Amino acid sequence: MPPESVSRTNNEGLSCPIELNRDVPHVTLAHGDGGRLTRQLVREHITNRLANVHLQSLDDAACLPQPVGPLAVTTDSFVVTPLFFPGGDIGSLAVYGTVNDLAVSGAHPCWLTLALILEEGLPLAVLDQVIASVASAARRSDVAIVAGDTKVVPRGAVDGLFINTTGIGVFHSPVPAGPKSLTPGDELIISGPVGQHGIAVMAARERLSFDPAPHSDSLPLVKPIRVLREQLGSRVKAMRDATRGGVAAVLHEWAEAARVTLAVEQATFPMPDELRGLSELLGVDPLYFAGEGVFLLAVEPGACEAALAILRCHPESKLAARVGEVQAQQRFPVTIRRALGTTQPLDEPTTALLPRIC
């Protein structure tokens, strides 16, 4: 592949929608017709790069060992633009987003399916780079891609590449009781800085020049969550990754489910100086922007310090902090104590501040 063909996928060459260069090998409609070209595409550009026994036979269904415990199943589709952004890409995002949904639900992720919708004209080098990222993210998350599907659609029908991943895991007892179990006195913890993914995608999409450029926090949360649950058990009452709608959306969902008020303090949210400066410069509140490597946690009264000690031992959650508490239901479902000392209601997000961030 000529260097100039690959450079367009680097951060400096971000393009939205993708510019389709006809001079490089690319996906054609014939790759989706089910014949020889389809087999070549699947074997040479997908299954060989994912490399596991489940995919080698190309059967219609994967044969999986019987799990010990109830199954957890989740699915998500990824349409992020641009496909590549500082700190990640659509491939790693598709893996981490799904394994994190399983982890915060109280399940250990085991297997993933991978469905690709490819636009006619997509450079094969882009597909190769995305699949390599999927493979790397799956290894890091200790999950196997066991089945998949590939479709090719005409030019203009999608924006380069869309991905759907379905995750299968096994629930391990005790499973968190969920937000309906929240009661006054419970404590709220955030595992790291908020809004990093949304701000990074926005900067990449709009080609905003910052030094250093904001990076997505996209990463797997499986390890810190597993240790947290192993050591605190049922003292962990609820967990949720703060993706679309950010922390603000999660807080409102929980407050409505439990019919309580969640009170948080702005100053306690971990916020690197560069992220705080970017938020102020762009005029956005990071509590409303998506993170892909951060989760909100509610624990029983008295369990906060133990939870923080566990989380801070893991690089994925080393900046974990207590950010608030559950109170009896008041006029507003979520309140925030701002830096100047005033307490205000925190509005619920009604529309996405930035669409297509995952």
Side-chain angles (χ1 to χ4, degrees), residues 134-156:
V134 168
S136 175
R139 287 193 298 271
R140 185 177 179 184
S141 305
D142 195 24
V143 296
I145 309 293
V146 298
D149 181 51
T150 302
K151 293 290 190 299
V152 180
V153 295
R155 198 181 303 269

Side-chain angles (χ1 to χ4, degrees), residues 3-338:
E4 60 271 23
S5 300
V6 177
S7 65
R8 61 180 300 285
T9 67
N10 293 339
N11 294 334
E12 296 178 355
L14 290 169
S15 176
C16 175
I18 274 184
E19 296 172 359
L20 302 180
N21 186 340
R22 295 174 184 273
D23 297 329
V24 301
H26 57 269
V27 173
T28 69
L29 288 177
H31 282 116
D33 287 345
R36 178 171 56 86
L37 285 179
T38 298
R39 292 198 307 276
Q40 285 182 347
L41 178 76
V42 171
R43 285 192 182 279
E44 296 175 9
H45 295 276
I46 301 176
T47 56
N48 286 352
R49 298 169 189 272
L50 297 176
N52 69 67
V53 295
H54 300 288
L55 294 178
Q56 295 308 312
S57 63
L58 294 181
D59 291 335
D60 284 340
C63 181
L64 304 175
Q66 184 170 353
V68 178
L71 286 178
V73 180
T74 187
T75 192
D76 204 348
S77 297
F78 296 85
V79 297
V80 64
T81 181
L83 297 179
F84 300 87
F85 45 84
D89 57 70
I90 191 172
S92 58
L93 188 65
V95 174
Y96 296 150
T98 298
V99 299
N100 287 345
D101 283 347
L102 290 171
V104 296
S105 299
H108 178 71
C110 300
W111 305 289
L112 294 183
T113 68
L114 178 73
L116 305 171
I117 299 178
L118 311 176
E119 182 184 11
E120 175 193 14
L122 179 76
L124 288 171
V126 173
L127 176 62
D128 291 343
Q129 193 168 340
V130 170
I131 295 301
S133 181
V134 168
S136 175
R139 287 193 298 271
R140 185 177 179 184
S141 305
D142 195 24
V143 296
I145 309 293
V146 298
D149 181 51
T150 302
K151 293 290 190 299
V152 180
V153 295
R155 198 181 303 269
V158 298
D159 190 3
L161 167 63
F162 291 168
I163 296 179
N164 173 273
T165 46
T166 294
I168 304 170
V170 178
F171 283 113
H172 285 182
S173 182
V175 175
K180 289 184 178 180
S181 69
L182 299 185
T183 54
D186 290 341
E187 299 179 271
L188 303 173
I189 296 170
I190 194 75
S191 67
V194 298
Q196 289 191 157
H197 176 72
I199 292 174
V201 170
M202 180 172 68
R205 186 181 302 176
E206 302 302 326
R207 304 191 181 203
L208 303 177
S209 297
F210 295 109
D211 187 16
H215 277 59
S216 169
D217 61 347
S218 178
L219 52 76
L221 297 168
V222 177
K223 290 182 180 177
I225 288 177
R226 184 182 68 235
V227 176
L228 189 72
R229 293 185 54 240
E230 287 175 350
Q231 297 192 17
L232 291 187
S234 60
R235 302 185 79 184
V236 176
K237 301 186 74 171
M239 295 183 290
R240 176 69 67 83
D241 48 344
T243 54
R244 282 181 297 178
V247 168
V250 176
L251 290 171
H252 276 272
E253 289 175 14
W254 285 8
E256 181 178 350
R259 297 183 182 278
V260 294
T261 287
L262 303 185
V264 297
E265 292 193 38
Q266 182 181 23
T268 58
F269 281 88
M271 188 68 64
D273 291 341
E274 60 271 21
L275 184 60
R276 188 186 304 276
L278 278 177
S279 301
E280 294 175 355
L281 184 64
L282 296 171
V284 299
D285 186 342
L287 292 179
Y288 291 88
F289 267 61
E292 290 290 342
V294 63
F295 68 102
L296 192 68
L297 167 72
V299 298
E300 289 183 350
C304 182
E305 290 304 316
L308 289 175
I310 294 168
L311 291 172
R312 288 169 180 168
C313 288
H314 297 267
E316 300 91 340
S317 52
K318 63 183 180 182
L319 297 180
R322 181 190 185 278
V323 294
E325 62 180 10
V326 180
Q327 298 178 348
Q329 189 174 35
Q330 302 166 22
R331 180 180 179 185
F332 299 106
V334 181
T335 64
I336 183 167
R337 185 175 176 82
R338 295 294 185 183

